Amino acid sequence: QDYLLGTLTLAVTPDHTGEVMVTGGGRARQTYPAKLWSGTHRPLEQGTKVVIIELTQGVAYVDAVAAHNQP
């Protein structure tokens, strides 16, 4: 399954839930509560392009896109 891409509309920190707007995957624009993926420990600012690694019970677990572009 392909990952979904999105843009944070609210910042996400290890102890704060933010919000992500899905911008890829051929879907209509949707927003989800966003939490950091378990391997991500640094805050992500509003406007950051992210990959949605997991979507569980309406919550998107995200990491910055750049982290997944490395070979």
Side-chain angles (χ1 to χ4, degrees), residues 15-70:
D15 34 326
H16 181 266
T17 300
E19 184 179 74
V20 62
M21 179 173 56
V22 175
T23 56
R27 294 184 176 202
R29 290 189 178 194
Q30 296 175 301
T31 57
Y32 296 98
K35 292 189 176 197
L36 294 176
W37 181 61
S38 64
T40 306
H41 302 290
R42 69 195 179 291
L44 300 175
E45 298 297 321
Q46 179 179 351
T48 301
K49 303 290 185 195
V50 296
V51 60
I52 298 170
I53 296 170
E54 186 177 342
L55 188 57
T56 305
Q57 298 179 350
V59 176
Y61 292 86
V62 302
D63 196 2
V65 170
H68 294 279
N69 288 341
Q70 300 171 5

